[in-house]
Amino acid sequence: MRTPKKVERVRGVSDVLWDTCHADQKIQTILQNSFESFGYRPIDVPIIEHTELYLRKSGEDLIARTYDFTHHNRRLCLRPELTASIARAYIDNLQAEPLPVRLYYQGPAFRYEKPQRGRSRQFNQMGIELIGAAGVMADAESIALACKGLEQLGLKNYYLALGNNQVLGTFLERLQLENRLCSFLMASMETLRKEGKHQVIQRLQEIYPDFEPYTEEDPTASNPEGTQKLVRLFQQMGDREAKSAILELIESMNIRLDRTRDPDEIADRLLAKIRRQDQSPMLNHALDFMQELSQLRGTPEEVFPAAEKLLASHHIESSALNHLRELITALDAYHIDKSRIYVDFGMSRGLQYYTSTVFEIHYDTGKETRQLCGGGRYDELIATLGSRKSIPATGFSYGIERLRWASEQEGLLEKTSRPADILMIPVSEGENSYAIEVAEKLRQYQLRVQMAIRGKQLSSNFQYADRTNIPFAVVVGSEEKTQNLVRVKHLASGQQQQFSIPEAVEYIQSVQQSPS
């Protein structure tokens, strides 16, 4: 018979075997206990959601990586993260609950991105959402809980990066840019720092083809706000008045025109461009500010003076800085080590729903750094998704696979797991019922018992137990069945003894508890 062609695993996802599952469950149990010690309660949400849930506020970058499909005329997706789903679940089920509502969750998420070391298309998140509380105390609780979870896992080599995208938000709001351009810029801070300004400009021109980055020789570059005032003045005029003003301006400044082009034609084209509300001057101004802001990264003592100077030069109030200072003080009360804390104004987290405080926790081996956790404040998301009123909220999530990796770096995880404590072996079919009866009694003593069910010889079953790290074999033959006894073999020593069932339990537990 021809062997059917093997069905391949989908690229970018992994099969998770028992040792890894065991490690992940251990991590999740520790984190669950940590969350519950702060009064958080569990919630589970569907893996599949309406794509609209993420279109409203998650940002174009995340949408581009979402498994998005149409099924029976409905646009659906596999959840790319869990915060939006939790927010939807809050609106559906929990709006009548007294605030704040504290929730924790765990489960898989999916993103279509290039598979690489430490990054898969399916991954597991575990985190919390603190819904209905604004201010420093709520932010501090969320961030402190994220740090304490790592400490309870035993991780040491991590550091905490704090940011606040309210500074950039305030600046962009003052420029009165189109909303979609503001959203794009808010999500592009990390692209600016990691890939450079030219990459942001290139992507910006894809969504706004009229954008013209200025050059060093551009006389308007040094005064974009002044240029914008002039543009607004022209926009307020009628067409005839504006065209006349443009021609007078050209003439008064003795600007030499190309002889092949008519001045009226030039004025018409310039006016048409102004009528399209060209946002280029403001975008150039925003990119300059973002570049300055992205350089503010370091210890609080290093960053705060430079940040104050930058904000003052652009006449931006320092409330975001004050919030960060108060947050660091509150984290100190939670005994979060100050030497682990960095301030990073170039951090945006890539999601558009964050409104002020953002944070990430990274793990550093000395040779490699990976992000373990990230989160922040999202005060507008729940209202955007349809709540009866505006609800402030904050939260974070860990990447379980990354926590496992970090735990392995510090030797915190057991290398192997075993399927059972005992392999129960009936010598022949005549002892099957007695073997099942004995196995059930042994399980009542919290012993894990696996049945030998393939009808193999004793020697084969002993080899199986040895290869699968099962430490004891319990054999029942006709003699044991008649006398209501069992024969216990300790695989490591090879010793075999006949016991009553209570004696067998006592022997096995004493060996388990003895130092190896």
Side-chain angles (χ1 to χ4, degrees), residues 24 27-28 31-32 35 43-47 54 62 65 78-86 104-111 113 119-129 349 351 353-354 371-375 395-404:
D24 289 354
I27 290 170
Q28 289 164 1
L31 295 179
Q32 177 179 329
F35 296 161
I43 184 172
D44 197 8
V45 290
I47 288 174
Y54 302 97
L62 185 65
R65 293 181 288 151
L78 301 179
R79 63 188 184 199
E81 53 100 23
L82 274 79
T83 295
S85 294
I86 303 296
Y104 76 84
Y105 58 85
Q106 63 185 60
F110 305 83
R111 294 180 189 174
E113 50 195 352
R119 189 181 296 273
S120 300
R121 290 174 175 169
Q122 177 180 337
F123 51 95
N124 288 282
Q125 291 189 332
M126 187 167 186
I128 62 105
E129 307 298 344
R349 301 276 306 124
L351 293 168
Y353 54 62
Y354 289 120
Q371 182 189 329
L372 303 181
C373 171
F396 70 84
S397 68
Y398 301 107
I400 293 297
E401 290 81 0
R402 296 184 180 191
L403 292 179
R404 186 204 314 145

Side-chain angles (χ1 to χ4, degrees), residues 11-159:
R11 185 169 183 263
V13 300
S14 301
D15 299 313
V16 182
L17 303 185
W18 48 75
D19 279 345
T20 305
C21 282
H22 180 74
D24 289 354
Q25 288 167 1
K26 181 180 178 184
I27 290 170
Q28 289 164 1
T29 299
I30 292 172
L31 295 179
Q32 177 179 329
N33 292 336
S34 177
F35 296 161
E36 292 184 350
S37 75
F38 275 65
Y40 286 76
R41 292 186 289 182
I43 184 172
D44 197 8
V45 290
I47 288 174
I48 191 169
E49 294 275 9
H50 289 287
T51 306
E52 173 69 17
L53 180 66
Y54 302 97
L55 287 175
R56 290 195 185 179
K57 205 67 180 176
S58 295
E60 295 179 7
D61 182 54
L62 185 65
I63 293 300
R65 293 181 288 151
T66 297
Y67 282 89
D68 177 19
F69 53 94
T70 300
H71 184 70
H72 291 289
N73 296 320
R74 289 177 297 175
R75 190 174 177 187
L76 305 171
C77 70
L78 301 179
R79 63 188 184 199
E81 53 100 23
L82 274 79
T83 295
S85 294
I86 303 296
R88 180 202 48 71
Y90 167 80
I91 295 167
D92 284 348
N93 306 287
L94 300 172
Q95 289 195 81
E97 290 289 315
L99 298 175
V101 173
R102 289 176 166 88
L103 302 170
Y104 76 84
Y105 58 85
Q106 63 185 60
F110 305 83
R111 294 180 189 174
Y112 186 78
E113 50 195 352
K114 185 178 180 180
Q116 53 188 294
R117 189 165 174 259
R119 189 181 296 273
S120 300
R121 290 174 175 169
Q122 177 180 337
F123 51 95
N124 288 282
Q125 291 189 332
M126 187 167 186
I128 62 105
E129 307 298 344
L130 174 50
I131 297 172
V136 168
M137 286 293 285
D139 288 348
E141 176 177 310
S142 173
I143 296 169
L145 183 49
C147 294
K148 287 183 178 296
L150 299 181
E151 289 167 5
Q152 288 170 12
L153 288 173
L155 297 174
K156 297 181 177 64
N157 301 322
Y158 73 86
Y159 64 88

Side-chain angles (χ1 to χ4, degrees), residues 65-272:
R65 293 181 288 151
T66 297
Y67 282 89
D68 177 19
F69 53 94
T70 300
H71 184 70
H72 291 289
N73 296 320
R74 289 177 297 175
R75 190 174 177 187
L76 305 171
C77 70
L78 301 179
R79 63 188 184 199
E81 53 100 23
L82 274 79
T83 295
S85 294
I86 303 296
R88 180 202 48 71
Y90 167 80
I91 295 167
D92 284 348
N93 306 287
L94 300 172
Q95 289 195 81
E97 290 289 315
L99 298 175
V101 173
R102 289 176 166 88
L103 302 170
Y104 76 84
Y105 58 85
Q106 63 185 60
F110 305 83
R111 294 180 189 174
Y112 186 78
E113 50 195 352
K114 185 178 180 180
Q116 53 188 294
R117 189 165 174 259
R119 189 181 296 273
S120 300
R121 290 174 175 169
Q122 177 180 337
F123 51 95
N124 288 282
Q125 291 189 332
M126 187 167 186
I128 62 105
E129 307 298 344
L130 174 50
I131 297 172
V136 168
M137 286 293 285
D139 288 348
E141 176 177 310
S142 173
I143 296 169
L145 183 49
C147 294
K148 287 183 178 296
L150 299 181
E151 289 167 5
Q152 288 170 12
L153 288 173
L155 297 174
K156 297 181 177 64
N157 301 322
Y158 73 86
Y159 64 88
L160 167 66
L162 296 175
N164 192 312
N165 59 19
Q166 186 181 359
V167 174
L168 179 59
T170 301
F171 184 86
L172 296 178
E173 184 180 354
R174 201 173 63 188
L175 290 179
Q176 297 183 334
L177 282 163
E178 295 175 10
N179 288 338
R180 65 188 181 106
L181 296 177
C182 279
S183 296
F184 170 83
L185 293 173
M186 290 290 291
S188 298
M189 281 296 289
E190 290 179 22
T191 304
L192 183 80
R193 185 167 64 195
K194 294 176 181 175
E195 302 179 40
K197 185 177 176 181
H198 65 285
Q199 278 293 336
V200 178
I201 290 174
Q202 185 177 333
R203 296 180 189 178
L204 183 56
Q205 288 175 322
E206 291 173 3
I207 64 169
Y208 186 67
D210 286 340
F211 175 57
E212 296 177 2
Y214 66 63
T215 63
E216 295 297 330
E217 293 76 24
D218 190 334
T220 67
S222 61
N223 188 17
E225 289 186 345
T227 303
Q228 187 57 27
K229 290 178 182 175
L230 185 58
V231 168
R232 288 177 187 156
L233 184 61
F234 283 129
Q235 288 172 339
Q236 292 167 2
M237 297 178 181
D239 284 351
R240 182 179 297 179
E241 183 185 15
K243 182 176 178 180
S244 175
I246 291 170
L247 291 170
E248 289 177 13
L249 181 64
I250 292 172
E251 184 177 353
S252 67
M253 297 182 69
N254 292 321
I255 296 174
R256 291 186 178 182
L257 301 177
D258 186 342
R259 292 182 180 179
T260 62
R261 298 170 66 186
D262 182 76
D264 282 345
E265 179 188 348
I266 293 173
D268 286 340
R269 293 186 61 178
L270 183 57
L271 186 57

